Amino acid sequence: MIRNTLQRFMYGRYGNDQLNMALLALSVTCYVLYLFTGFDPLYWISFLSIFFALFRTLSRNPVRRRGENAKFLQVAGPAIRWLRLRRTIHRDKEHCYFKCPNCGQQLRVPRGKGKITVTCRSCGATFEEKS
């Protein structure tokens, strides 16, 4: 019963996306910093970011919200991809990761094979690396 009520309320509304998640993370970060420092502008930044995230979630203008999210991903996308790659490399103990010197493609090879010749799947360039 409650679930149906919430589904009916959210029907036609935008919902959540990457920009909202970043706004919520900003809000929590600023609020925790405010608790430690007592610096009032951090409290207001936290309040405004959570208010804007709630506004975006409940919005009935999905075209505008998608445009805002697309602009955010253009700016923050490279940093997000870099962080995800770093996390993958840190977790993956069975492979080494290399960047092709010709095209920049990320390549994964088994770890512990010594000096090997790596061939790029994208451009076909070959280079030697130590795994």
Side-chain angles (χ1 to χ4, degrees), residues 7-65:
Q7 282 179 335
R8 273 189 264 120
F9 175 74
M10 287 301 292
Y11 184 78
R13 300 189 189 273
Y14 183 65
N16 208 8
D17 61 8
Q18 294 90 347
L19 177 55
N20 275 2
M21 296 304 291
L23 286 169
L24 291 175
L26 173 69
S27 176
V28 169
T29 304
C30 286
Y31 191 72
V32 168
L33 287 174
Y34 164 72
L35 290 176
F36 284 117
T37 62
F39 187 58
D40 285 336
L42 289 174
Y43 173 79
W44 289 107
I45 292 171
S46 171
F47 177 76
L48 290 175
S49 62
I50 203 161
F51 178 77
F52 187 56
L54 186 61
F55 167 76
R56 292 186 80 254
T57 300
L58 299 176
S59 173
R60 289 186 182 259
N61 189 351
V63 174
R64 186 126 186 222
R65 303 293 88 85

